[in-house]
Structures are given as C-alpha cells and as structure tokens.
Amino acid sequence: MNLALWIGAALLAAVALAGGLTKTFVAREKLAAAPGGGWTAQVSPGFLRTLGVLELLAAVGLVLPAVVGIAPALVPVTAVCWILLMVGAMITHGRLGEPGFVALNSVYLVLAVFIAWGRFGPESFAG
C-alpha cells in the first residue's frame, strides 16, 4: 500500500509539474491553440500564471515533505487541494464540451483521493 501511494504521488506530482511549467512559462496564445487549452483564452494572464505556480507548489507538496521528513502531513493536504483543483478543471472542460478532458481530470481526481485517503488513514506518515 505504501509503495502504491508513493507511486501515485509521484505520478500526480509529474502531472502537476508538467501543467505548472506549461501554465507558468508558455504564452497564453500558444496554450489556447492546444487541444483542451481553449479555456486559457478566457482568463487573464495573471490568473493563468497563478494557477501554474499553484500546480508547481502541488508538485512539490505531493512528494518533498515526505522525502525530507519535514511536515509530511502536507502530502495529503496537498492531495485534497488537488482534488479541488480537478473539480474546477472538470467543470471548466465540461462547460466547453470536452468530455475527454473531463475524464482525464477525473482520473487525476481519483488518484488524489487515493493519496489523501491513504496518507490521512492507513498509511499515514504520523505513525
């Protein structure tokens, strides 16, 4: 179980890192032209960069606290924050009629639920 939670956290951190780097450093116009990126044309550049920075922080928060042993309770807290982010992403893609991206975000959401459940519960770092 512990290994599965580590793998899940690493996978989710990789997704968050990729999304965060893209939203933080790629031009909004280029993102808007990409599949599933149409929503970026409807938000301010500041909002997009803020979202990117939050995703970068999530990438760090899903793994680093447990690796260094400092405040490892941040791992499940970060997973809960990711759940909220994915709910917003699913709503956004749903409104734009992009069911494939809704499904993809739901996979990320389920993975985050697994991490939050496991790290708050049976495989908590507190023990």
Side-chain angles (χ1 to χ4, degrees):
M1 174 71 118
N2 186 45
L3 180 61
L5 288 164
W6 274 105
I7 291 170
L11 288 172
L12 208 53
V15 168
L17 180 63
L21 288 172
T22 303
K23 290 177 185 79
T24 304
F25 299 110
V26 174
R28 187 173 64 143
E29 295 77 24
K30 188 172 180 180
L31 289 175
W39 65 273
T40 61
Q42 302 169 5
V43 299
S44 72
F47 176 80
L48 190 59
R49 285 215 166 73
T50 300
L51 193 57
V53 169
L54 290 173
E55 289 185 15
L56 291 173
L57 290 172
V60 171
L62 285 164
V63 176
L64 190 62
V67 169
V68 298
I70 299 173
L74 288 176
V75 173
V77 170
T78 302
V80 169
C81 292
W82 189 263
I83 291 166
L84 298 174
L85 183 66
M86 288 302 99
V87 168
M90 291 167 66
I91 291 169
T92 299
H93 288 294
R95 287 182 177 167
L96 295 173
E98 299 171 335
F101 288 101
V102 172
L104 181 62
N105 292 137
S106 69
V107 170
Y108 300 149
L109 182 142
V110 168
L111 188 54
V113 166
F114 172 66
I115 294 164
W117 167 80
R119 291 304 183 201
F120 274 133
E123 289 292 333
S124 173
F125 291 117

